[in-house]
Amino acid sequence: MLAHMISFNRFTSLIQSLALSIAVVAWTSPASAQVYSQAGFEAYLKQVSSRARAEGVSERAIVSGLSGLTINQRVVELDRPQAFDPNSISPPFEPYRIQHVDDARINGGKRAYAGSASLIPAVEAKYGVPGEILVAIWGHETNYGTFMGGFDTIRSLATLAYEGRRRELFEDELVASLKMIDRGVNRSQLVGSWAGAIGNPQFLPSVWLRVAQDGDGNGTRDIWNSRADTLHSIAAYFKSAGWRAGEPWGAPAYVPSGFNRDTVKTQLISPRCPRVFARHSQWRTIAEWKALGVRPQRSVADDTQAILLEPDGPGKTAYLLTGNYRVILDYNCSNYYALSVGLLADEIRR
């Protein structure tokens, strides 16, 4: 979901309204106790209003979006676990795969794909992204639209921005959500995940502004109710992120016993999602991988560049992953997310 700088949890319940009638709201973080006042929150929203005006947001949108907001304690509680220990060991991929590429999601994806049969050819022709990849993203983000979240988007973003741990990110998204109102989105439509993601593809507001499409030609970019707008919008995101038409996302691979992984270990440190990219090998062409004894388990052109990933370590399932896999990571920077999207897409198309 962050299209995506944040990993979004699957939600099992809707938020209950918090009646905050007191002036001071307090909660405890693992590091320290912090007190946030409603008065301080309102003062911060005045700063946001000034910034929004300077960026051309109308007074109508500012009043509609920010009037009467209160701090959402539950949102902060959900955000706290997102901070991770850089020295922690990643859990195994296989349980994640079983949970996210299960029969229900595969069958739901096949139904969604069949139900989109009249739309997919035109989307594929325009953007070059396979329909099964688009449907797999839709399935992972909102279970094909069955649950898009129940949190007031603007309230969530305002709370997270005021809390301050990632103020720059969330304040940018808060202002972007006000711009959405100016572009015709109803205030009541802005409901989604606790971290501000909205609609079938769980776009952040800035992503909606940048890539959302009017796929059905009715004059709106409705990623909540329009299947055409949803598929066109996801495809536009992938195209903007560099998807290469005709190239697979990757393939399971055979790695020979005794393979020397040190010879292909990457020395690069990525400034974006360093833990994710650190698990990738150096780039080699498929022909070069074959010469090393590493073979894709389905046809991939010999001149295709790929990295090797063994998510559960040597002796377990390995993958040769192309540049298009990196595009999936651009949508949500998690190897397990990207792998499961690719594997689900394969099952949907099968």
Side-chain angles (χ1 to χ4, degrees):
M1 247 297 318
L2 252 177
H4 281 67
M5 299 174 64
I6 305 168
S7 289
F8 294 109
N9 295 326
R10 296 286 177 255
F11 304 107
T12 58
S13 64
L14 297 177
I15 190 171
Q16 297 180 348
S17 176
L18 300 177
L20 302 180
S21 58
I22 58 175
V24 177
V25 178
W27 59 81
T28 302
S29 72
S32 62
Q34 299 184 50
V35 176
Y36 298 87
S37 71
Q38 181 63 26
F41 181 61
E42 292 172 1
Y44 170 67
L45 292 183
K46 290 181 180 179
Q47 297 175 27
V48 174
S49 298
S50 297
R51 173 184 167 180
R53 289 187 194 96
E55 294 187 20
V57 178
S58 71
E59 199 65 29
R60 177 192 67 84
I62 292 170
V63 172
S64 174
L66 301 182
S67 293
L69 288 186
T70 53
I71 299 166
N72 190 328
Q73 179 180 353
R74 179 58 178 153
V75 165
V76 176
E77 292 169 353
L78 287 166
D79 183 55
R80 290 299 185 192
Q82 298 298 307
F84 58 83
D85 178 358
N87 298 313
S88 64
I89 299 174
S90 298
F93 172 59
E94 186 60 15
Y96 183 99
R97 183 195 66 79
I98 292 170
Q99 180 181 359
H100 290 82
V101 192
D102 59 343
D103 288 343
R105 208 177 301 256
I106 292 167
N107 293 332
K110 288 182 180 293
R111 289 191 297 271
Y113 188 93
S116 306
S118 63
L119 302 171
I120 286 174
V123 177
E124 290 179 334
K126 183 174 182 179
Y127 303 99
V129 186
E132 62 268 23
I133 290 287
L134 306 177
V135 173
I137 290 287
W138 185 18
H140 273 281
E141 293 297 331
T142 57
N143 197 25
Y144 312 107
T146 59
F147 188 69
M148 291 181 271
F151 289 79
D152 181 319
T153 299
I154 293 180
R155 186 184 181 205
S156 293
L157 292 171
T159 296
L160 291 165
Y162 176 60
E163 184 268 343
R165 189 162 67 89
R166 290 177 286 178
R167 175 166 290 187
E168 182 178 0
L169 165 65
F170 288 114
E171 185 176 299
D172 287 351
E173 296 302 332
L174 177 57
V175 173
S177 70
L178 300 177
K179 292 177 181 179
M180 290 181 68
I181 296 174
D182 266 342
R183 286 157 177 75
V185 176
N186 289 331
R187 172 68 175 85
S188 61
Q189 189 81 70
L190 293 172
V191 176
S193 79
W194 63 265
I198 50 176
N200 282 299
Q202 290 290 275
F203 282 171
L204 287 174
S206 64
V207 177
W208 184 93
L209 291 171
R210 181 168 59 87
V211 302
Q213 302 292 307
D214 177 14
D216 54 21
N218 70 350
T220 65
R221 296 183 283 172
D222 185 358
I223 60 172
W224 298 268
N225 304 298
S226 169
R227 183 174 297 206
D229 291 6
T230 294
L231 295 177
H232 276 263
S233 296
I234 299 172
Y237 184 100
F238 271 57
K239 184 176 181 179
S240 73
W243 185 272
R244 299 185 183 104
E247 182 175 283
W249 64 273
Y254 165 78
V255 180
S257 176
F259 177 70
N260 186 355
R261 291 160 180 84
D262 288 341
T263 62
V264 297
K265 186 176 181 180
T266 184
Q267 302 300 317
L268 300 177
I269 298 175
S270 171
R272 179 176 177 271
C273 300
R275 293 189 74 203
V276 171
F277 287 89
R279 302 186 71 183
H280 299 180
S281 74
Q282 297 174 19
W283 290 95
R284 296 282 191 276
T285 66
I286 293 296
E288 289 170 329
W289 283 116
K290 289 178 179 178
L292 294 171
V294 179
R295 296 183 174 273
Q297 298 301 289
R298 61 167 170 261
S299 178
V300 182
D302 278 350
D303 61 352
T304 302
Q305 293 278 339
I307 57 96
L308 176 67
L309 175 63
E310 297 173 284
D312 290 337
K316 306 293 185 180
T317 303
Y319 299 90
L320 285 171
L321 304 166
T322 73
N324 281 343
Y325 175 82
R326 291 285 180 97
V327 173
I328 303 174
L329 285 176
D330 192 79
Y331 202 94
N332 186 320
C333 200
S334 159
N335 280 312
Y336 291 3
Y337 177 93
L339 283 172
S340 60
V341 165
L343 293 169
L344 178 59
D346 289 350
E347 293 296 330
I348 290 170
R349 190 60 183 265
R350 197 182 305 279

